[in-house]
Amino acid sequence: MGDEGGRAAERVILNCTVTDGRTAEGAEPIRDAAVLVRGERIAAAGPRAEVLARAPGAARVDLGGAYLTPGLVNMHTHLSLSLPGPGGEGVKALGPHDLALYMADGARRTLHCGVTTVRCVAEKDHADFALRRAIEAGRVPGPRIHTAGRALVCTGGHGHEGADTLECDGPEEFRRGVRAQIKAGADLVKVMISGGIAGEHERIDTPQLFADEMAAVIETAHAWGRKVTAHAGPAPVIAEAVKLGLDCVEHGYQLTPDVAAAMAQQGTALVPTLVVTRCKAFFDELGVPAWMQERSLGAGPRHLESYAMALAEGVTVLLGSDMPPFWSFEGTNATVRELEHMAENGLGPAGALRAATLGPARWLGAEADVGAVEPGRYADLIAMDDDPLASASAFRGVRWVMKGGEIVRDDTASRP
């Protein structure tokens, strides 16, 4: 494929079609394109002749006619996930050193899948901050990490059993919980405001925070310049949080058209995580108990209805798998399988590409750095042979990954 891995001072990527999430907003793909990368960032992107004229002596990377897109952004990630059952118990039993290595391995695998940025929304023992520092220092490979630290829950609330949550009660404790995550280095705040599929002694529609507690979380986080995302299932609970200024909903299993309309008007995004209510093989692999499987899979039809309502009302939807992003599942990885569900159930391929790249970048406030193939942004790029604007399943064929100007995966490198 020409050129070897690693980061060159200047290189030109050519023999490709460049496309990104802006196609959902009317932009056209660039065919016979080239991308000039200097150091970590994109210096130029456009027709091949124009780009080559700017750097005639740059090293060349020939993608062999591939489609080139920004790296994917997974907005609902748990690198230390431990569901009920033997598989999850094994993760819970890891000591701090083992946990760090376990998460580092997951980060490497995530990056190699073509996910170059993640938003962690509850990780154990603040190990995510150490992992982020290690990745930024170049000690371990992995995606760019935006993290909430530990999620905030009421006593006995959703996810309270693990070291990835912090139990709080009353407005003052929730304020303290927000500040504790920000002190540790959190980029955003995650709060559990209803029950879910993984809590044995709750229902999806169980309200878990009072309005004054939700208000305390949102007000405090916003005062510190952090957005808030909420694990939430039922429409009434979501409606109340949206009125208080919630920035994002995770799952949204039981939306109504009115609540979806309120989300769209407020600018509250939705990370639907459709795959979590249609993943029996994953549950079986981890030994997830029957009660959770039944609750999850039983919620599937209503979950899709909620998603359709969100799309119909114009809610911004963003890619997030909840399952570990790299997990091998139904012939691909969990990230791509989620993206396929989003595309096939009303979003379409162009919308899915935006939901996996530019949309998340905007929500994260990282639009200057990631999410598009554009000068000034990091050279976080992936390549595949099939057209992602024809089908989201094209991402099953990711064969080349660059992060920050460094080639971290090249499936053709060892071919004769």
Side-chain angles (χ1 to χ4, degrees):
M1 186 177 284
D3 200 359
E4 296 182 357
R7 184 183 296 115
E10 186 174 75
R11 56 168 36 123
V12 174
I13 304 164
L14 43 76
N15 197 3
C16 60
T17 296
V18 170
T19 188
D20 59 31
R22 292 174 294 182
T23 57
E25 301 170 355
E28 293 293 326
I30 306 171
R31 305 189 186 281
D32 192 20
V35 178
L36 175 61
V37 177
R38 289 195 178 116
E40 293 185 315
R41 295 186 181 261
I42 298 169
R48 176 168 58 174
E50 294 179 13
V51 174
L52 285 175
R54 294 188 56 176
R60 299 190 178 191
V61 179
D62 188 332
L63 289 183
Y67 290 85
L68 186 72
T69 76
L72 302 179
V73 183
N74 192 314
M75 292 284 279
H76 192 120
T77 299
H78 301 285
L79 293 172
S80 57
L81 182 69
S82 56
L83 296 176
E89 290 303 318
V91 176
K92 284 184 180 179
L94 294 174
H97 309 302
D98 297 307
L99 179 66
L101 292 170
Y102 177 84
M103 292 175 65
D105 177 63
R108 175 187 60 81
R109 295 166 69 182
T110 295
L111 180 60
H112 286 184
C113 286
V115 177
T116 54
T117 300
V118 296
R119 187 184 68 163
C120 295
V121 287
E123 301 291 1
K124 291 180 172 49
D125 296 322
H126 283 171
D128 41 326
F129 298 112
L131 177 60
R132 183 175 63 185
R133 289 191 295 270
I135 291 171
E136 291 175 349
R139 291 192 292 271
V140 298
R144 303 183 194 281
I145 291 179
H146 297 253
T147 186
R150 299 171 72 183
L152 307 182
V153 302
C154 66
T155 294
H158 183 75
H160 73 278
E161 307 91 344
D164 50 359
T165 57
L166 177 65
E167 289 182 307
C168 307
D169 288 301
E172 291 310 310
E173 286 193 12
F174 274 101
R175 288 187 191 281
R176 189 175 296 111
V178 169
R179 292 171 179 141
Q181 303 320 299
I182 294 172
K183 178 182 177 181
D187 307 290
L188 64 140
V189 172
K190 166 81 174 291
V191 61
M192 312 295 204
I193 64 175
S194 80
I197 63 176
E200 186 172 7
H201 304 296
E202 62 189 37
R203 300 187 310 271
I204 287 174
D205 61 356
T206 303
Q208 295 194 345
L209 265 69
F210 291 108
D212 59 351
E213 293 172 321
M214 287 191 284
V217 171
I218 295 168
E219 181 183 30
T220 306
H222 286 179
W224 284 79
R226 267 61 166 192
K227 290 183 175 180
V228 179
T229 195
H231 163 99
V237 172
I238 294 170
E240 193 163 30
V242 169
K243 287 180 184 177
L244 293 169
L246 182 68
D247 301 293
C248 188
V249 170
E250 308 298 312
H251 315 302
Y253 299 118
Q254 300 171 353
L255 295 177
T256 63
D258 287 348
V259 172
M263 289 174 63
Q265 183 175 8
Q266 172 70 25
T268 306
L270 172 67
V271 180
T273 67
L274 298 174
V275 74
V276 302
T277 54
R278 41 198 39 81
C279 60
K280 180 169 175 36
F282 173 67
F283 289 155
D284 288 343
E285 185 177 352
L286 296 181
V288 169
W291 65 262
M292 179 176 164
Q293 294 209 30
E294 291 168 4
R295 184 184 299 170
S296 171
L297 303 177
R302 183 68 176 86
H303 195 183
L304 280 184
E305 291 174 6
S306 293
Y307 176 65
M309 292 171 192
L311 294 183
E313 297 297 337
V315 175
T316 296
V317 295
L318 307 172
L319 169 67
S321 62
D322 203 350
M323 290 171 58
F326 57 84
W327 205 273
S328 180
F329 181 67
E330 295 186 345
T332 183
N333 58 70
T335 300
V336 173
R337 193 68 189 100
E338 173 66 21
L339 196 60
E340 289 176 331
H341 283 305
M342 294 178 74
E344 293 163 5
N345 286 283
L347 191 57
L353 178 57
R354 178 172 59 185
T357 55
L358 189 57
R362 289 170 173 167
W363 194 95
L364 292 167
E367 194 176 355
D369 290 325
V370 300
V373 185
E374 186 176 60
R377 304 197 196 207
Y378 284 119
D380 293 356
L381 305 166
I382 60 177
M384 66 216 76
D385 290 322
D386 294 332
D387 184 357
L389 295 180
S391 172
S393 294
F395 289 98
R396 288 179 174 242
V398 169
R399 60 173 172 83
W400 183 91
V401 178
M402 170 180 277
K403 181 199 167 194
E406 179 181 0
I407 299 170
V408 297
R409 175 182 171 186
D410 184 352
D411 291 359
T412 66
S414 60
R415 296 178 191 172

